[in-house]
Amino acid sequence: MSVRCRTCLSIEVEGVCFTDEVVEASGVVTPAPTGTTTGAGELFQLLRDGRARTRAELAASTGLARSTVTARVDALLASGLVGNAGEATSTGGRPPTRFRFDSAARVVLGADLGATHARLAVTDLAGAVLAEASEDLDIGLGPEPVLDRVVTLARELLTPWRSRLLAGIGVGLPGPVEHSSGRPINPPIMPGWDGFDVAGALSREFGTPTLVDNDVNVMALGEHFSHWRDTEHLMLVKVATGIGSGIISDGAIRRGAQGAAGDLGHVAVPGGGDVPCRCGNTGCLEAIASGAALAAALRSRGYDCVSSRDVVALARGGSVEAVQLLRGAGRDIGEVLSTAVSLLNPSVIVIGGALAAAGEHLLAGVREVVYRRSLPLATQHLRIVPSRSGERAGVIGAAVMVVERVLSPAEVDALVAAAR
């Protein structure tokens, strides 16, 4: 005897699920061909592009029976992730109903915490920013004071959207993060944060899942999502108080075995000498070419300069010394990046962070060395460009990190089951 499976809404025979079209009139069950066992979560992925479709169009795209598609669409409607999008043009008879992903069904909170700032944004499930806020905030104050302030800002920002469920929270932190646990691991510029349960602290406050990653990884996700979705291989290099990179390969972020992939800032620079770095080593890229290093160099020459923003302001104001230092920093970054280009062969390198706001001075130095030092095959189609998302890259990426998790096929199937 066959019944309707409560989990995937297919036909269940003796505990095994099959699509409608493989249960023959004789009662003989034949395994479904590859591609016809799509569950509600898989079916939903077709609708994430925002295009409205009818049941017939979904059946044609998936190879599922109309009855199977109808059951799964009904389940997605009940979950709130899919809504009615009106009627399609009739070809005779009653016009068919179209369905579309309802990106407004829930909201997501993204938080980008840097060495000296906090940026937060509320987005919908398509990553569109609905509200945002930012303020100066010293990460060195420690986890409790910083997260208390983040919680306060988040509650204020979420107030206009409290009628919508909060799907999750994404956070970027300026240091190494064990992504699976959401805990910073020996972060050089985050005293008191080592091993702190950031994900757990925020989940308890808001009663929703929290994902935490390195700030440059989430910037790479945000830049890729917003402007480079068709690019399979991308690196984002953040040059601010520190230096780091996020690596996207085959369209996905690559974190490495312990989440330390992309830590360019602590690679030794040829000719870096014995300049001390806060990581404990000497001659690191961050100790020579970061915003903090350039600000210190300008202070030693009599300028009132304490941050990356001050370096940029001096360069924009016509300071020859600031421009020269930025160009030199670009060359140093290029020395390290030329090795990364040979190893990873990205098609796009995006330069972001506070120092990137200085314009072409930094990028010119990077391009000069990368195109000279890397093999012609690796640079044949390589583009080195400034960030297009600017300061928004981190919060968008943090939100996208959550969206990709909560809208994955497995999570949607779980949501559908809970809705039933």
Side-chain angles (χ1 to χ4, degrees):
M1 178 178 179
S2 65
V3 296
R4 182 72 65 181
C5 173
R6 293 184 177 182
T7 301
C8 69
L9 300 178
S10 295
I11 297 297
E12 181 181 326
V13 181
E14 297 181 350
V16 181
C17 296
F18 301 87
T19 54
D20 294 359
E21 59 265 56
V22 300
V23 181
E24 301 172 350
S26 63
V28 176
V29 177
T30 304
T34 301
T36 65
T37 57
T38 308
E42 291 288 351
L43 184 69
F44 172 73
Q45 305 308 310
L46 295 176
L47 294 165
R48 285 188 60 185
D49 62 3
R51 185 167 71 85
R53 294 173 174 85
T54 64
R55 292 183 180 89
E57 290 172 328
L58 289 170
S61 297
T62 61
L64 293 170
R66 286 284 295 274
S67 56
T68 302
V69 168
T70 295
R72 292 176 183 174
V73 167
D74 287 346
L76 290 170
L77 286 167
S79 75
L81 292 176
V82 170
N84 191 314
E87 295 179 338
T89 303
S90 174
T91 56
R94 183 178 178 179
T97 301
R98 299 185 301 168
F99 304 94
R100 177 186 288 124
F101 168 40
D102 184 5
S103 61
R106 299 185 177 201
V107 295
V108 173
L109 178 70
D112 170 31
L113 304 183
T116 59
H117 72 264
R119 296 189 185 93
L120 282 75
V122 177
T123 78
D124 64 14
L125 291 176
V129 175
L130 304 176
E132 57 190 319
S134 65
E135 68 175 42
D136 292 338
L137 185 62
D138 182 4
I139 200 75
L141 294 173
E144 287 90 355
V146 170
L147 293 180
D148 283 349
R149 184 58 187 155
V150 168
V151 167
T152 299
L153 288 172
R155 293 196 187 284
E156 294 173 358
L157 207 58
L158 286 165
T159 296
W161 315 101
R162 58 190 168 196
S163 62
R164 302 187 195 179
L165 288 174
L166 179 62
I169 301 169
V171 181
L173 295 176
V177 173
E178 185 180 60
H179 180 62
S180 60
S181 67
R183 296 174 184 266
I185 304 298
N186 297 320
I189 64 170
M190 300 171 64
W193 288 80
D194 184 33
F196 189 85
D197 187 7
V198 177
L202 292 177
S203 291
R204 287 189 294 271
E205 286 286 342
F206 293 94
T208 192
T210 300
L211 299 178
V212 185
D213 204 346
N214 173 264
D215 61 342
V216 191
N217 282 345
V218 298
M219 284 180 67
L221 285 171
E223 191 75 23
H224 184 260
F225 177 84
S226 300
H227 301 288
W228 302 96
R229 292 194 203 186
D230 295 331
T231 299
E232 292 288 301
H233 304 278
L234 176 146
M235 286 185 69
L236 183 137
V237 180
K238 178 184 179 182
V239 190
T241 303
I243 298 176
S245 73
I247 302 166
I248 289 178
S249 182
D250 295 322
I253 195 75
R254 303 301 177 188
R255 298 183 174 90
Q258 275 75 46
D263 196 355
L264 287 181
H266 301 289
V267 174
V269 179
D274 58 357
V275 179
C277 180
R278 52 191 160 191
C279 74
N281 289 319
T282 58
C284 293
L285 180 62
E286 185 172 300
I288 296 167
S290 67
L294 299 193
L298 287 168
R299 281 198 306 276
S300 70
R301 301 179 189 186
Y303 289 93
D304 181 15
C305 187
V306 297
S307 68
S308 299
R309 293 177 186 174
D310 296 331
V311 176
V312 171
L314 285 169
R316 286 180 169 177
S319 167
V320 174
E321 289 178 299
V323 169
Q324 289 174 339
L325 285 172
L326 281 165
R327 182 69 70 95
R331 294 191 190 100
D332 290 330
I333 294 167
E335 290 283 353
V336 174
L337 273 180
S338 61
T339 301
V341 167
S342 297
L343 285 172
L344 301 173
N345 190 202
S347 53
V348 175
I349 295 176
V350 178
I351 307 296
L355 282 192
E360 288 296 312
H361 304 304
L362 186 73
L363 268 71
V366 173
R367 291 173 180 141
E368 176 187 334
V369 175
V370 168
Y371 289 125
R372 173 167 52 83
R373 291 293 302 270
S374 300
L375 291 174
L377 181 61
T379 58
Q380 183 178 6
H381 301 295
L382 175 64
R383 300 173 63 184
I384 302 175
V385 299
S387 169
R388 296 179 182 176
S389 299
E391 294 183 346
R392 269 189 168 182
V395 290
I396 292 174
V400 167
M401 178 170 61
V402 174
V403 168
E404 291 303 316
R405 172 72 66 86
V406 300
L407 297 186
S408 67
E411 291 292 327
V412 171
D413 282 342
L415 179 61
V416 164
R420 290 202 305 275

